[in-house]
Amino acid sequence: MAQDLKAENPHEVGLPPLDPIRAGEPLLSVRDLRVSFKTDDGILKAVDGVSYDVYPNEVLGIVGESGSGKSVSSLAIMGLLPKSAQVTGEIVFRGQDLLHMDEKDRRKLRGGRLAMVFQDALAALNPVFTVGDQIGEAIAAHQPKMSKQAKRKLTMDLLDLVGIPNPAARVDQYPHEFSGGMRQRAMIAMSIANEPDVLIADEPTTALDVTIQAQVLEVLERIQDRTNSAIVLITHDLGVVAGVADRVLVMYAGRAVETSVVDEIFYHPRHPYTIGLMASLPRLDAAGAREERLYRIKGQPPSLIFLPSGCPFHPRCEFADMPAPCGTIRPDLELVDHTYGRHMVACHRRHDMADVDHSELHADVGAELETVEDAAAVSPAEATALEQLSTPAEEEE
Amino acid sequence: MLTFIVRRIAYSIPVLLLASLLVFVFVHATSDPLAKYAQSRDLTLKARQGLAQGIYEQPCRTFITGSPPQQAMTCTKAPVLKQYWYWLSHFLKGKMGNSFVTGRAVSSDLKSSFGNTLQLIIWGVLISALLAISIGVLSAVRQYSLPDYIFTGLSFVGLSMPTFWFGLIAIDLFSNRLSTLLHVHYPIFYSLGLHSTHARGFFPAFFDYARHLALPVATLTVQIVASWSRYERSSMLDVMSADYIRTATAKGLTRRRVIFRHGLRNALIPLVTVMALDIGGLFGGLVVTEQIFSIHGMGALFLQDLGNGDTQALLPWLMVTAVFVVLFNLLADVLYGVLDPRIRLS
Ligand SMILES: Nc1ncnc2c1ncn2[C@@H]1O[C@H](COP(=O)(O)OP(=O)(O)OP(=O)(O)O)[C@@H](O)[C@H]1O
Ligand code: SF4
Ligand SMILES: [Mg+2]
């Protein structure tokens, strides 16, 4: 008999009936999720049929360039999209269908069983309340019976857990008195206050410099060890994914184009977009690395209002079979490898792609080469690939 | 915070001194106190001489001249700056002298007028603030809903309607026609003054007071609620689209708590500042309202003193209103610091 991985928190009251958490059974299942916005130019399909599962205790990395729908899909799970968003599909969390749940029940899950860390912690924290007040409020929202002292103690423990020095003094400070890295940690402390089952972290480290990034990621791993939560980690940064994710979902233009365990994605990518992403990674181990020129994916991300016909990646794809089927039929996510980590790819040429060695793309396409020094002059499309090279300035005290 | 307040007060002092100098010089440049002084025949000579101190170098000398013989005076005026200094040093000690025209102590007129205006302001501001915040929050939270459109329309009507017009219409409708409609021989709402003489006992007196206040306070409210509610609506809209509101929702807080604790608390910061600045201007700014409802407030006093050319009474009036403008400016700054920790701590 499968054993429940996590006992319910006895202080949390009034939750809708949830399935027990069991190893090998998804905690969160997203099925054919679609989110569209009405804009002046037409209907913008920000998320266009995304499906994935999140299992207990794992870190699922979601990667994709800017505008590929990573944030919108997570906000849909949290129920935080503006009213103008049209959401369809199915989001099942521990047996409960979130999209058809009444708002009151959904609110009870939000911030309790399902929590989210936002990207820009300065903007995401309320400037007029102390950090301790805001964390305490998150606790009180789900564990209303907890005494004031217990809440304060827990708040300080959380700050300590995420690595904020001197929590007793920090707890009464305002967000603007924190450095960027500390704010992000405070944000994380707030989101894990009720030991969520699923923690969605939307680019939690993008605004931070490399050393702080590493510390924040380490905090996330520590938290997972302690609370057994599953983490959905959204990022531009393939290095981050390689370091902490167990499985990876690659998104392109509002769709999932490839998913598998992290090693498969890095060593045997099958989708030309993923292959391009991998080829654009700087490789320090390769021979003559100093002279290495970086591959880049040509062209711009497509308009989400006027998507290209067939495979949305075809205008940028090196391997497109044109005109048919790539220009006419939209490929669905298909299983390519059962043996190791359910590798799924949405590409008509998925079987041919097994033979492509992405590390050779560096030399292959001389016309598409871009030197690292030109990073300042790249278009937004290329910026994604180069993201990990440019570290935003951010100081930690 | 305390040093901030002290420093801010210290900055206000030169501002007020400059204001007093300008007020004094301009008032004296535009009106001749001697003209009124000489005309007020009902004053005793002694009183006149007392009044004249500071304006004249020496007490005036009287003599009899002409035929038929008449009393006349000669006086030598002191230089303006000397007069100013004399006036200021007395004013700072609370000595405002007597009116050139009525002979009453300027300070007592000012006190009673100020009291009346203060009542209008307190009730008007209280009601306006409550209304403006509720309307602003409702309109922002339900942007583009029917109530939002209605309040938007009403606030434009309120903003564009002249005060005197609203006041007169209100008197006609609620003081005159309402009584006719109800076949009673007394006005439901009064349009004169703040009290009736016949009301005795606490509750009857308060009820009477409310019937007097209703229309002038409504007139004042219409003037300010329109702009305050628009202001609150836009600042609330601004705040509600901020990231921290999404965070608050993501924590699992109720919608009400998100709106009132996280939204309103932030949206109040700019509104409170604007309110404080506006209130400071109301002390001398209710001329029309007070005139229409025959309330002996600061506005009415100003018109009276101006009509009389009563510089002795005008100067303290101008100074008191100036002090309140400066004081509420100060209050606006202090409140901003109190409400926004980012200001408070830096
Ligand atoms: N409220 C909204 N109204 C209209 N369009 C929106 C709205 N929110 C997001 N979008 C659009 O949805 C698309 C996907 O946005 P999303 O924020 O999910 O991208 P992302 O993958 O998170 O990108 P990034 O890496 O830059 O955060 C974008 O084209 C964006 O313009
Ligand atoms: S389906 Fe065709 S166009 Fe799309 S990624 Fe695969 S090969 Fe390229
Ligand atoms: Mg995003």
Side-chain angles (χ1 to χ4, degrees), chain B residues 19-261:
Chain B
S20 71
L21 180 65
L22 291 178
V23 159
F24 190 89
V25 169
F26 286 137
V27 165
H28 277 251
T30 49
S31 72
D32 178 10
L34 187 60
K36 292 287 168 187
Y37 178 48
Q39 280 166 17
S40 46
R41 297 203 168 278
D42 48 337
L43 294 183
T44 66
L45 182 63
K46 218 172 165 202
R48 291 185 210 176
Q49 283 177 336
L51 287 169
Q53 281 210 354
I55 298 176
Y56 303 104
E57 205 91 70
Q58 282 112 27
C60 297
R61 276 188 317 104
T62 55
F63 50 92
I64 309 294
T65 183
S67 71
Q70 244 184 335
Q71 204 180 39
M73 270 192 305
T74 56
C75 309
T76 33
K77 271 196 193 179
V80 170
L81 276 183
K82 198 169 174 188
Q83 291 183 38
Y84 167 69
W85 176 246
Y86 181 87
W87 168 77
L88 184 70
S89 52
H90 282 74
F91 179 76
L92 288 180
K93 287 181 211 143
K95 290 184 189 149
M96 301 181 195
N98 294 344
S99 161
F100 284 153
V101 179
T102 63
R104 280 200 305 270
V106 168
S107 58
S108 79
D109 272 3
L110 205 56
K111 214 179 277 170
S112 74
S113 298
F114 184 82
N116 288 339
T117 295
L118 191 64
Q119 294 176 49
L120 276 188
I121 291 180
I122 288 176
W123 292 110
V125 163
L126 217 68
I127 292 170
S128 303
L130 283 177
L131 276 177
I133 292 171
S134 331
I135 292 173
V137 169
L138 181 77
S139 303
V141 171
R142 300 203 202 292
Q143 195 187 7
Y144 304 136
S145 66
L146 186 65
D148 182 28
Y149 283 122
I150 291 175
F151 286 125
T152 301
L154 282 179
S155 69
F156 285 131
V157 172
L159 284 174
S160 48
M161 190 162 47
T163 312
F164 75 88
W165 190 81
F166 180 84
L168 292 177
I169 294 287
I171 291 174
D172 187 49
L173 289 180
F174 294 103
S175 203
N176 305 340
R177 285 175 201 244
L178 190 62
S179 301
T180 320
L181 196 75
L182 299 174
H183 301 292
V184 291
H185 297 291
Y186 52 85
I188 304 296
F189 297 110
Y190 294 109
S191 61
L192 283 170
L194 288 176
H195 299 278
S196 310
T197 42
H198 55 76
R200 298 259 182 275
F202 180 76
F203 288 106
F206 187 81
F207 188 59
D208 174 70
Y209 178 54
R211 280 167 66 192
H212 279 87
L213 267 179
L215 296 185
V217 164
T219 309
L220 167 61
T221 300
V222 166
Q223 277 181 73
I224 51 185
V225 91
S227 72
W228 286 0
S229 67
R230 293 309 288 170
Y231 201 83
E232 173 64 5
R233 177 183 183 269
S234 73
S235 93
M236 192 70 185
L237 275 177
D238 223 38
V239 165
M240 289 307 285
S241 65
D243 279 6
Y244 55 76
I245 293 298
R246 195 180 54 189
T247 310
T249 311
K251 285 199 265 192
L253 304 181
T254 57
R255 178 91 180 129
R256 183 179 306 166
R257 198 172 163 92
V258 171
I259 292 171
F260 290 102
R261 184 170 146 89

Side-chain angles (χ1 to χ4, degrees), chain A residues 70-71 119 202-203 234:
Chain A
K70 305 183 299 289
S71 298
Q119 175 177 348
D202 189 358
E203 308 195 24
I234 297 171

Side-chain angles (χ1 to χ4, degrees), chain B residues 87 91 96 106 110 298 311-321:
Chain B
W87 168 77
F91 179 76
M96 301 181 195
V106 168
L110 205 56
M298 296 291 278
T311 51
Q312 193 75 359
L314 272 177
L315 282 174
W317 189 98
L318 288 168
M319 281 318 293
V320 166
T321 52

Side-chain angles (χ1 to χ4, degrees), chain A residues 110 124 126 133-134 137 142, chain B residues 247 251 257 261-262 266:
Chain A
R110 203 185 279 147
N126 195 326
D133 178 324
Q134 297 185 58
E137 193 182 29
H142 299 276
Chain B
T247 310
K251 285 199 265 192
R257 198 172 163 92
R261 184 170 146 89
H262 289 264
N266 279 282

